[in-house]
Amino acid sequence: MKSITASQLSKVFPNGKRALNAINLSIDEGEIFGFLGPNGSGKTTAVKLLNGMLQLTEGSCSVFGIDPASAPEKVHALAGVVTEHAQMYNNLTGFQNLLFFGEVFGINIDETKRRALEILERLSLLDAKDQKLLEYSTGMRQRLSLARAMLHQPKVLFLDEPTSGLDPESAQSVNNLIKSLAHDKGTTVFLCTHQLRYAEEICTKYGLINEGNMLATGSFDELHALVSSKLMVTINADKYEVDSQEEIPALVKQIVDSGGKVYNVVARKYSLEEIYFALNF
Ligand SMILES: Nc1ncnc2c1ncn2[C@@H]1O[C@H](COP(=O)(O)OP(=O)(O)OP(=O)(O)O)[C@@H](O)[C@H]1O
Ligand SMILES: [Mg+2]
């Protein structure tokens, strides 16, 4: 069964704004799907539709076969959501917040404690577990929000800009956690971000969105093929394009034969960022 689907999914807000325009999604279990687009492109709107927090205008969507609009509680039972403004309690400690949400999810107290401590450790929050949330920094809060979303071991995790406020070290530990959830537990991750370099590090599939329209979906190689079949070769500081790496030795020979010196050769594909801009403009 597909983990997440959307068919011709559209959302028009009461003020007439068409935030999503007939988008299609088909995401397999265990995939880390990067939903990439600039500010205002419709990413958060899609997350809200998929979690039953907003009603769709046209089309349909599902999470493990469940329609989020008609059975939001069933989606919440198997999904975890991290948004920019997670609702947690400022006057409770980090640990107490997790215990509270464990109870909301109906997990027994000992199991909640065990899971909470394990997740806090993995997110480097163990030392801060007895501090009140109001004393947490933005990055600590963001990581606690992820901890909360993981507590009931969801089959799908929706992460809306999970590393936007994190320093490189914390971002790395969040990345590692996301990757291991997908690889080891088969958790599907729906990751919204406009940080393309970050996405390229962890995502297995992509959807590129702009102004509510899906520009392209697919794996890195599929997206790359849409833009170019070429390899970019930099020799010393000069740029060349070739069809395959087999052409590189001849290119180097040609330069050497004509009296040039070669100190440095780098061949690479387009980056996700370059693909994105090539598709977008
Ligand atoms: N409740 C609302 N009423 C009217 N328009 C809205 C509402 N919520 C969002 N929008 C508009 O819908 C569009 C998409 O917004 P959305 O929050 O989904 O974008 P986003 O891709 O998550 O952006 P960001 O990267 O800034 O988080 C924007 O133009 C936004 O102004
Ligand atoms: Mg958003």
Side-chain angles (χ1 to χ4, degrees):
M1 182 189 285
K2 290 287 176 184
S3 189
I4 296 170
T5 70
S7 172
Q8 299 293 305
L9 179 63
S10 301
K11 174 67 188 177
V12 181
F13 283 107
N15 66 359
K17 171 75 196 176
R18 183 170 278 268
L20 279 182
N21 188 31
I23 69 159
N24 296 313
L25 292 169
S26 176
I27 303 173
D28 287 316
E29 220 168 319
E31 210 80 80
I32 303 179
F33 181 80
F35 198 39
L36 314 178
N39 292 142
S41 53
K43 303 181 297 295
T44 299
T45 302
V47 169
K48 288 183 175 168
L49 291 174
L50 287 165
N51 284 280
M53 293 146 87
L54 277 178
Q55 299 285 328
L56 59 81
T57 310
E58 294 141 17
S60 62
C61 62
S62 72
V63 176
F64 280 94
I66 302 162
D67 170 10
S70 58
E73 72 293 344
K74 286 191 185 159
V75 172
H76 298 160
L78 48 81
V81 190
V82 179
T83 55
E84 293 122 305
H85 308 289
Q87 311 225 307
M88 292 187 291
Y89 296 94
N90 273 324
N91 285 314
L92 297 181
T93 67
F95 192 52
Q96 286 167 341
N97 265 284
L98 295 183
L99 296 187
F100 173 81
F101 286 104
E103 200 174 330
V104 170
F105 284 125
I107 311 164
N108 101 27
I109 178 82
D110 291 333
E111 180 62 14
T112 302
K113 282 185 182 162
R114 194 189 63 73
R115 289 186 199 175
L117 292 173
E118 187 192 321
I119 299 169
L120 287 168
E121 157 119 65
R122 294 195 66 175
L123 291 170
S124 314
L125 280 175
L126 212 45
D127 289 345
K129 81 177 188 12
D130 297 322
Q131 249 171 279
K132 283 191 177 174
L133 204 60
L134 54 87
E135 296 167 8
Y136 272 35
S137 71
T138 307
M140 290 161 76
R141 214 172 244 277
Q142 230 170 343
R143 280 177 284 150
L144 192 72
S145 166
L146 176 59
R148 184 196 84 147
M150 289 170 51
L151 204 56
H152 62 308
Q153 301 179 329
K155 286 160 75 83
V156 194
L157 256 185
F158 292 92
L159 306 177
D160 202 351
E161 296 290 354
T163 58
S164 58
L166 300 187
D167 59 45
E169 202 178 328
S170 305
Q172 197 59 51
S173 60
V174 168
N175 278 0
N176 292 340
L177 184 61
I178 294 171
K179 279 191 211 163
S180 76
L181 285 174
H183 293 169
D184 308 340
K185 303 228 163 79
T187 309
T188 309
V189 180
F190 188 92
L191 174 81
C192 300
T193 186
H194 44 74
Q195 298 173 285
L196 300 176
R197 266 178 229 155
Y198 164 66
E200 192 172 348
E201 256 176 54
I202 64 167
C203 296
T204 54
K205 286 271 169 65
Y206 302 90
L208 308 187
I209 186 170
N210 196 11
E211 294 183 0
N213 295 302
M214 196 73 101
L215 303 173
T217 56
S219 65
F220 182 88
D221 289 341
E222 285 164 344
L223 296 182
H224 197 286
L226 291 176
V227 170
S228 172
S229 58
K230 308 265 187 211
L231 262 182
M232 297 204 292
V233 185
T234 309
I235 300 179
N236 298 333
D238 296 328
K239 309 246 182 256
Y240 303 84
E241 282 196 336
V242 297
D243 289 320
S244 87
Q245 62 176 12
E246 308 312 320
E247 293 176 26
I248 297 172
L251 189 58
V252 172
K253 183 168 185 305
Q254 198 186 330
I255 293 167
V256 173
D257 286 351
S258 59
K261 288 187 162 57
V262 172
Y263 298 105
N264 188 302
V265 180
V266 180
R268 65 172 182 89
K269 289 183 142 189
Y270 281 63
S271 67
L272 186 62
E273 204 161 6
E274 288 162 332
I275 293 171
Y276 180 81
F277 286 113
L279 286 169
N280 211 353
F281 296 107

